Amino acid sequence: MAKTLFVFSAHFLIFLTLSPFSLISISAEEDDFVRPMDRKLLGLKKEKLSHFRFYWHDIVSGKKPTSVAVVPPPANSTTAFGLLDIHDNPLTLGPEVSSKLVGKAQGFYASASQSEVGLLMAQNFAFVDGKYNGSTLTVLGRNPVFNKVREMPVVGGSGLFRFARGYVEARTHWFSPNSGDAIVEYNVYVLHY
């Protein structure tokens, strides 16, 4: 009786595996995982290209720094290799820190090169002004800080920048070797809806 039950169970499992009902349920599960969508359902219209220009203020000195080293580099490093710095830097319309605030650059940079001062930048530009208030752009890339112009990719965004892509060009406007403070001009070219 046990042998007959085993043979019946094995045949029943094979039947279920090869049954059209099981094939239908598998493809139904696949259809539930991904499906094409009409972009209009998300309010996506024509994609546009925008250019933003603002100044990034990296303030590491004073009583209220906006950028703090959480992992210092080794004392013998000439490139600050190993440094990890978290920042909440003001983004302003002009190069003066007192000019109009349009957002904050929130993220980190890490010194990731042993041969030059080359930073890994991971930051969100969180806008606080105008129609972009509450929207963000995300930048992730390499920043060789002593190059005149550094290019980094825009890898996404939120709010009005959903599905964003593009790049930034960073140019040092001012740097103090004594304090370590810097002002960097950012030109952002972004495709978004």
Side-chain angles (χ1 to χ4, degrees):
M1 169 99 177
K3 185 177 179 183
T4 307
L5 186 58
F6 175 75
V7 170
F8 173 76
S9 297
H11 282 88
F12 185 70
L13 286 172
I14 292 170
F15 170 76
L16 282 178
T17 306
L18 299 175
S19 161
F21 298 110
S22 63
L23 294 176
I24 290 171
S25 67
I26 290 171
S27 72
E29 287 176 16
E30 288 175 4
D31 286 342
D32 288 341
F33 175 68
V34 64
R35 63 175 187 245
M37 289 187 65
D38 182 357
R39 65 180 65 215
K40 292 176 189 169
L41 292 174
L42 293 176
L44 303 177
K45 298 175 183 164
K46 186 177 178 185
E47 195 173 36
K48 57 189 165 208
L49 174 64
S50 295
H51 172 222
F52 296 85
R53 187 176 134 233
F54 45 76
Y55 292 85
W56 182 89
H57 299 267
D58 195 44
I59 305 166
V60 298
S61 66
K63 293 181 182 180
K64 288 191 147 195
T66 62
S67 189
V68 177
V70 293
V71 177
N76 63 348
S77 175
T78 58
T79 65
F81 179 69
L83 166 78
L84 177 63
D85 193 286
I86 304 296
H87 61 267
D88 184 19
N89 289 343
L91 301 174
T92 62
L93 279 183
E96 302 79 23
V97 75
S98 60
S99 64
K100 183 177 181 178
L101 182 74
V102 294
K104 294 290 203 96
Q106 298 170 329
F108 70 88
Y109 54 82
S111 183
S113 176
Q114 294 181 9
S115 60
E116 66 177 327
V117 180
L119 304 178
L120 162 66
M121 305 287 292
Q123 60 186 339
N124 290 310
F125 294 149
F127 295 100
V128 297
D129 187 56
K131 77 176 193 175
Y132 298 107
N133 183 21
S135 297
T136 65
L137 286 172
T138 302
V139 174
L140 175 65
R142 182 173 185 274
N143 182 355
V145 297
F146 291 122
N147 289 3
K148 184 176 179 179
V149 179
R150 288 92 65 196
E151 185 176 306
M152 293 168 276
V154 172
V155 297
S158 66
L160 293 177
F161 296 115
R162 290 183 193 126
F163 301 106
R165 64 193 192 285
Y167 70 99
V168 301
E169 289 181 351
R171 291 173 176 82
T172 302
H173 178 77
W174 174 82
F175 172 70
S176 168
N178 293 333
S179 68
D181 293 350
I183 301 170
V184 179
E185 178 186 344
Y186 271 82
N187 282 278
V188 181
Y189 301 91
V190 63
L191 286 162
H192 61 103
Y193 291 95

